[in-house]
Amino acid sequence: MSTALHEQPYLESWRWMSRQIRCALDPDEPRLIEHYLAEGRYLACCTAMSAWTVAETSFRLLIDTATDTALPWHWRSLCLDQAWRPLRDMERLSLCKCRLERWQSHAWRLATCSLLPSIPLIELVQGFPDE
């Protein structure tokens, strides 16, 4: 069996979990984030997918989700609380100057991230009135 065939089901599963996280499709299931990160670790160690790519993709997903004010506050907070994990992996993998600089910019983004309040559901449904 080729590596690509072996990788495909795990990659599809990982991508589906990323959409569930990014869109907060199940915001009352915090284990989804742990499962997503574990699936990424599997892809990095057991397939041809780069560990750096997995870590950076995971970090960006979590930080982008955390800063999306259209999503529920508790989900955004949970994503922010877990963003350090892929960032730690990126630090370990920063073996060249360009990766170290990318890691530093991501670390700065996490360190300076402040969560704005989520948009109330009623405003999302009704939209903003004309002024």
Side-chain angles (χ1 to χ4, degrees):
M1 179 183 273
S2 79
T3 303
L5 290 177
H6 176 70
E7 179 180 297
Q8 195 60 32
Y10 297 101
L11 187 56
E12 287 176 16
S13 173
W14 190 61
R15 286 180 177 156
W16 169 240
M17 284 185 275
S18 74
R19 285 188 292 279
Q20 289 178 297
I21 291 168
R22 185 63 184 91
C23 299
L25 296 181
D26 196 0
D28 295 322
E29 184 49 76
R31 293 174 295 182
L32 176 61
I33 295 172
E34 173 57 40
H35 191 81
Y36 169 77
L37 294 173
E39 195 85 6
R41 285 190 302 272
Y42 176 83
L43 284 169
C45 79
C46 300
T47 70
M49 194 160 192
S50 152
W52 175 269
T53 300
V54 168
E56 188 171 35
T57 301
S58 299
F59 174 78
R60 285 181 175 169
L61 171 77
L62 293 172
I63 201 79
D64 289 347
T65 302
T67 56
D68 186 345
T69 59
L71 300 177
W73 174 261
H74 71 283
W75 185 248
R76 296 171 53 218
S77 296
L78 185 61
C79 289
L80 185 62
D81 287 345
Q82 296 301 312
W84 67 270
R85 296 170 71 196
L87 189 65
R88 175 200 55 202
D89 296 339
M90 288 169 45
E91 180 182 25
R92 182 178 48 80
L93 298 165
S94 297
L95 303 176
C96 66
K97 184 177 171 136
C98 66
R99 280 192 178 173
L100 182 60
E101 289 173 355
R102 284 170 57 186
W103 171 79
Q104 288 172 333
S105 72
H106 291 314
W108 180 255
R109 185 171 179 202
L110 179 61
T112 60
C113 182
S114 61
L115 296 186
L116 297 173
S118 292
I119 299 170
L121 183 58
I122 192 72
E123 288 183 25
L124 288 173
V125 172
Q126 294 177 346
F128 292 100
D130 293 338
E131 293 182 17

